[in-house]
Amino acid sequence: MNTGDQNYVKWFRNAAPYINAHRGKTVVLMFGGEAVSHPNFANIIHDISLLRSLGVKLVVVHGARPQIENSIKQRGIKRNIENNVRVTDAETLVAVKDATGSLRLHIEALLSTGLANSPMHGSQIRVSTGNFVIAKPMGVREGIDYKYTGSVRRIDSDGINMQLDYGSIVLLSPIGYSPTGEVFNLALEDVATQTAIALKADKLIALTDDEGLIDQSGKLIRSCSVRTVKTLLDEKDCHVRQLLLRSIIQCGENGVERCHCVSYQSDTALLQELFTRDGAGTLIAKDHKEELSTATIDDVAGILELIQPLEEEGVLVKRSRELLEVEIDRFTVLKKEDVIIACVALYPYAEANTGEIACVVIHPDYRKGNRGERLMAAVEENAKKQGFDSVFVLTTVSGHWFLEQGFTEQPIEKLPEGKKQMYNFQRKSKIYVKNLR
């Protein structure tokens, strides 16, 4: 087997846990008309097909802003934008329906491709469209009648779920229908957001022209909370970016656990984001009432109280208050209503480009849920920021849990020299290592 094949097999094995984690999950995937026009869109279609074949329940929501603009221009219709919102009169609505309908048919055709020697050969994907989006008019606002421009009134979640259970991909356009038989021009972001919330989707994925969310310094944000997204809102931003950020915030505040932003210009970003450890874009997790933060000197008493029972049992090595005060900046704590319910520490071994994870403690009343996983994600992110290639942990009782988190048991020789010299042979702690790159 050549090196390329070996790397592929290794990647495939590493991707298996992520494939299993996404199987049966409901994902809303949104992209604008710009993505459809991009040369990479064929690869996105192939990836959508692959996601469906891996058991992901997919709702695809497309936009059509550039196509609508072109349709209006071709018809010689005067463009009417008020407060960054298109006023859709009867003549404009014809252009909207034409552009949106043509684009929907184009996407359906691409999803139906099954030519031999193509990535979608044998996929046999069913695409379901329909009147799943019930709309209402925006009405008159500040003296402006927006006519056939509307907003989502309700999503037919039962109808969509029925199609998803049949194994179909549900394709939604930025068009809605009223009970009176009228058609309304809707915003892509409104349709995607309300669909994700109504379906209680596990994820919302937004394909954008950037790598993901960009901070004020121009750098890609790898992961953040909904709270952080709120700080990115800027009135100077373009209207589309504002809509995207508000969509993420609304989803996160209404039960959608994860949102992702990845580039539609990359032919690997979507799969890389979902099936690799580091991803390719931005992962946004919904805010929890319990807050993770770097410990401060004010947290010393709370940490001591948390770890004392395990020290008395001999599970943890005892730490004095004085030592803890010196090392406090090594700790990350999880607080609920200002009470510390969990903690973890990271000790650097820069000479070996690694770090030791220590003092992983969760209060007995809070050991259900994913708090341990949240702690590990935070400490691993911290280790990556410090440039470490790996982390390790010594434990006498929690080996199986660390194996579940992706660690592997290693001999004492794998410890950095500084830690090896301090190893306590009487405790006989087992060593577990996790590579971060």
Side-chain angles (χ1 to χ4, degrees):
M1 184 181 291
N2 61 44
T3 303
D5 290 339
Q6 289 175 337
N7 290 337
Y8 170 76
V9 170
K10 183 178 180 181
W11 175 88
F12 193 67
R13 286 171 176 163
N14 290 336
Y18 300 99
I19 294 172
N20 293 330
H22 288 95
R23 185 177 293 113
K25 296 299 175 64
T26 300
V27 174
V28 176
L29 178 67
M30 60 180 282
F31 50 80
E34 299 84 358
V36 184
S37 302
H38 194 274
N40 188 55
F41 189 66
N43 291 320
I44 292 173
I45 289 291
H46 297 156
D47 291 346
I48 290 172
S49 172
L50 178 57
L51 289 176
R52 181 64 204 95
S53 69
L54 292 174
V56 178
K57 295 180 177 181
L58 272 174
V59 180
V60 176
V61 186
H62 75 87
R65 289 189 181 105
Q67 289 80 5
I68 291 172
E69 285 290 330
N70 188 52
S71 181
I72 288 173
K73 185 177 180 181
Q74 288 180 347
R75 285 173 163 78
I77 301 170
K78 183 180 178 181
R79 185 171 181 265
N80 190 357
I81 303 291
E82 296 286 351
N83 300 317
N84 292 315
V85 177
R86 188 187 308 280
V87 177
T88 309
D89 58 19
E91 194 175 16
T92 303
L93 182 61
V94 175
V96 168
K97 290 193 288 186
D98 179 56
T100 304
S102 296
L103 197 61
R104 176 177 58 78
L105 290 172
H106 174 61
I107 296 170
E108 277 190 40
L110 291 175
L111 287 171
S112 301
T113 303
L115 295 176
N117 301 319
S118 79
M120 294 176 66
H121 178 56
S123 57
Q124 295 181 334
I125 287 177
R126 291 191 296 270
V127 180
S128 175
T129 60
N131 57 341
F132 299 118
V133 181
I134 294 85
K136 61 184 178 182
M138 281 185 62
V140 179
R141 301 187 180 186
E142 298 179 0
I144 299 167
D145 186 356
Y146 287 90
K147 301 181 180 179
Y148 292 102
T149 298
S151 59
V152 176
R153 170 178 285 173
R154 181 172 61 84
I155 299 294
D156 180 9
S157 56
D158 290 341
I160 292 176
N161 278 321
M162 187 180 297
Q163 295 303 317
L164 293 176
D165 290 340
Y166 285 155
S168 300
I169 290 177
V170 175
L171 178 61
L172 302 180
S173 300
I175 290 288
Y177 308 90
S178 74
T180 58
E182 293 176 297
V183 178
F184 289 96
N185 179 22
L186 308 178
L188 154 70
E189 294 80 6
D190 187 23
V191 176
T193 300
Q194 298 307 321
T195 300
I197 293 171
L199 294 177
K200 297 180 174 61
D202 298 284
K203 289 180 183 289
L204 171 74
I205 302 175
L207 299 180
T208 68
D209 55 352
D210 290 321
E211 287 182 86
L213 296 184
I214 308 299
D215 65 18
Q216 294 178 345
S217 67
K219 293 182 179 179
L220 172 67
I221 301 171
R222 287 291 183 183
S223 62
C224 66
S225 66
V226 172
R227 190 180 298 109
T228 301
V229 177
K230 290 180 179 179
T231 68
L232 300 177
L233 273 174
D234 189 338
E235 295 302 323
K236 297 178 183 178
D237 284 337
C238 71
H239 183 58
V240 173
R241 176 177 162 84
Q242 287 186 23
L243 287 175
L244 172 62
L245 295 179
R246 294 185 190 281
S247 179
I248 292 169
I249 292 168
Q250 194 172 355
C251 283
E253 291 181 338
N254 288 274
V256 180
E257 289 284 342
R258 297 283 187 271
C259 295
H260 298 260
C261 287
V262 295
S263 173
Y264 60 71
Q265 301 185 59
S266 167
D267 65 349
T268 62
L270 180 56
L271 297 183
Q272 191 177 339
E273 177 70 11
L274 296 179
F275 300 122
T276 66
R277 180 187 298 146
D278 295 327
T282 303
L283 164 63
I284 306 102
K286 78 172 186 179
D287 292 326
H288 295 266
K289 294 179 181 179
E290 302 160 2
E291 184 177 359
L292 276 167
S293 62
T294 301
T296 68
I297 197 70
D298 295 331
D299 297 321
V300 170
I303 294 174
L304 284 172
E305 183 179 350
L306 180 67
I307 66 178
Q308 183 181 0
L310 293 180
E311 289 178 342
E312 292 174 350
E313 292 176 21
V315 175
L316 292 179
V317 177
K318 287 191 175 183
R319 288 173 170 79
S320 67
R321 176 182 287 271
E322 291 77 15
L323 178 61
L324 191 55
E325 288 177 352
V326 171
E327 298 178 341
I328 194 63
D329 60 342
R330 306 290 189 201
F331 279 77
T332 298
V333 293
L334 180 63
K335 295 181 180 180
K336 183 172 184 177
E337 298 176 353
D338 293 328
V339 176
I340 296 174
I341 62 172
C343 69
V344 63
L346 177 66
Y347 294 90
Y349 287 82
E351 73 283 355
N353 216 27
T354 189
E356 179 186 7
I357 294 175
C359 204
V360 182
V361 182
I362 303 172
H363 191 281
D365 292 344
Y366 297 96
R367 286 177 184 166
K368 293 183 179 180
N370 64 345
R371 294 177 181 89
E373 287 78 3
R374 289 180 63 199
L375 280 177
M376 295 308 299
V379 76
E380 288 175 19
E381 186 65 26
N382 186 7
K384 290 177 186 177
K385 288 180 180 177
Q386 296 185 49
F388 297 158
D389 292 329
S390 64
V391 288
F392 68 92
V393 64
L394 277 66
T395 181
T396 57
V397 297
S398 303
H400 277 217
W401 186 82
F402 284 102
L403 289 173
E404 292 170 6
Q405 309 312 310
F407 286 72
T408 57
E409 187 174 353
Q410 298 291 341
I412 188 173
E413 290 74 20
K414 292 293 183 179
L415 289 175
E417 198 60 38
K419 186 65 181 180
K420 197 184 304 180
Q421 294 174 1
M422 298 169 60
Y423 183 80
N424 187 335
F425 285 92
Q426 289 184 330
R427 284 181 61 84
K428 297 181 180 179
S429 299
K430 292 188 176 182
I431 300 154
Y432 297 88
V433 177
K434 183 174 183 178
N435 293 322
L436 301 178
R437 305 190 187 281

